[in-house]
Amino acid sequence: MRRVLVPADIDPAGPALGGRLHLAQGRTMGTTWSVRFVGPADADLGARTRGIQAVLDGVVAEMSTWEAGSDVSRFNRAPAGHWQTLPPHCFEVLACGIDVARRSGGACDPAAGRLVDLWGFGPDARHDQPGFRPPTAEQVQAAREASGWTRLEIGAASRRVRQPGGLSLDFSGIAKGFGVDQVARHLLHVGARDQLVEVGGELRGAGVKPDGSPWWVDLEVPPCFAAALDATRVALHGLSVATSGDYRRHYAWKGERHAHTIDPRDGRPVRNGVVSVTVLHRECVWADAWSTALTVLGSDAGLPLADAEGLAAHWIERGADGRPVERWSRAFAELME
């Protein structure tokens, strides 16, 4: 069977007359991107592709910890007491991350980069490199003490942020979603109102296809449960979708599985039975950040929070018998109705 989700608000504008569906593709942030948009038959696809790539390259240049010259990397290397002015987009993403950290009790923290690196998921000393060993309890505690959004001093009007010493920002749980939003805004600016943007599995859709149908996409299902769960199809019409899951990036050490999602509250990879969390939101950056936070929280703590925040969220968890268990928020159930 298949569940179908339809947005509550439908844009009354119809399809663009004479429009044709175009596809542009490329690579960014260690993954791929693709964009489908409606435009005239003679649209310059090369120019569109270059424009989209430039937008995503700009996000990487500001926010990637894999680029030594990025604004985030320079902040992470700065000495204690250094004040750094962040570019507007970079500051916007930091503010989003801090807001979700505050609302979720620290389950998603943009200032937990040292913990990400310590467990081998950063750009250096990676878990797949020779000689890597998971951190000791003492190393985890030291990294926790050096991390956390509450250590930051921020001048909102000036976009200045103070390095307290040893703190590392990491936007890996937010940047892809922000990149999706930026590409969507770029396409709207150049006249491509009807669009479906995807970066590494995070998506945002607006408008309709030339035949008037919406951008139908199937929500991601963990491969281990693909045969056991009903498919969920959603019309991405003024909506974004982001999924976090422990099946994407992980490694095993002496029989213990370590997922790439780190719980900043205890400094360890999550081990709460959550396989994936999908969040639907108008802005992909918020869907991305909340999917991470709700993965860390699990459905027992995350479901009441999602309901309080009005978030459309869907959990897939491993039951005691190893079979999948699904739970969803009220807002998600309303989309199904």
Side-chain angles (χ1 to χ4, degrees):
M1 295 180 62
R2 174 179 287 143
R3 291 185 291 253
V4 177
L5 279 66
V6 179
D9 299 323
I10 304 296
D11 186 346
L17 294 177
R20 178 179 171 183
L21 187 60
H22 299 276
L23 171 64
Q25 296 175 301
R27 294 195 61 82
T28 188
M29 305 182 201
T31 186
T32 59
W33 65 262
S34 66
V35 169
R36 289 167 172 80
F37 67 94
V38 179
D42 60 351
D44 188 341
L45 187 57
R48 286 286 184 270
T49 301
R50 290 190 294 274
I52 294 166
Q53 190 67 58
V55 169
L56 293 169
D57 289 348
V59 174
V60 170
E62 291 185 9
M63 306 178 203
S64 175
T65 56
W66 298 70
E67 298 291 333
S70 74
D71 293 271
V72 163
S73 291
R74 290 190 293 108
F75 177 85
N76 292 347
R77 293 195 304 270
H82 172 77
W83 284 88
Q84 182 170 326
T85 301
L86 298 179
H89 290 159
C90 195
F91 190 83
E92 179 183 347
V93 171
L94 176 61
C96 170
I98 289 175
D99 190 44
V100 173
R102 182 182 295 112
R103 292 169 184 260
S104 67
C108 176
D109 192 336
R114 285 194 62 172
L115 291 166
V116 174
D117 294 343
L118 195 62
W119 285 98
F121 294 107
D124 302 312
R126 289 185 53 78
H127 64 83
D128 54 1
Q129 294 177 343
F132 172 82
R133 297 178 66 87
T136 63
E138 292 75 18
Q139 289 173 319
V140 170
Q141 181 59 29
R144 286 182 61 206
E145 292 173 357
S147 302
W149 65 276
T150 58
R151 297 190 66 218
L152 291 170
E153 292 182 53
I154 296 176
S158 61
R159 305 192 313 276
R160 297 176 74 227
V161 184
R162 182 181 182 274
Q163 168 62 265
L167 183 142
S168 289
L169 298 176
D170 188 304
F171 295 166
S172 58
I174 313 176
K176 282 195 301 180
F178 184 76
V180 168
D181 291 334
Q182 286 300 101
V183 170
R185 295 184 184 110
H186 167 76
L187 290 170
L188 187 61
H189 178 73
V190 299
R193 178 180 62 88
D194 304 296
Q195 51 174 272
L196 178 66
V197 180
E198 179 265 338
V199 177
E202 322 295 29
L203 300 111
R204 173 170 170 161
V208 293
K209 292 185 281 189
D211 62 2
S213 63
W215 305 100
W216 289 108
V217 300
D218 288 339
L219 299 186
E220 189 171 343
V221 176
C224 58
F225 292 143
L229 295 173
D230 291 336
T232 302
R233 178 161 289 186
V234 58
L236 282 189
H237 183 83
L239 283 176
S240 300
V241 58
T243 299
S244 292
D246 73 352
Y247 59 92
R248 285 183 169 180
R249 289 161 49 204
H250 57 85
Y251 65 90
W253 179 266
K254 294 184 177 179
E256 186 175 5
R257 191 172 186 271
H258 299 306
H260 79 282
T261 302
I262 307 299
D263 185 344
R265 300 168 303 174
D266 66 7
R268 298 182 59 83
V270 292
R271 294 178 294 175
N272 56 8
V274 173
V275 181
S276 72
V277 175
T278 296
V279 174
L280 293 161
H281 198 283
R282 290 195 176 277
E283 301 286 330
C284 199
V285 64
W286 291 95
D288 210 359
W290 275 115
S291 68
T292 300
L294 296 178
T295 295
V296 170
L297 289 171
S299 62
D300 286 346
L303 189 52
L305 178 60
D307 285 341
E309 295 286 343
L311 297 169
H314 172 252
W315 282 261
I316 300 175
E317 299 176 319
R318 293 184 185 88
D321 59 359
R323 300 178 65 184
V325 175
E326 293 184 272
R327 300 182 71 182
W328 46 72
S329 66
R330 286 197 299 266
F332 190 91
E334 288 169 0
L335 290 175
M336 289 191 289
E337 295 173 357

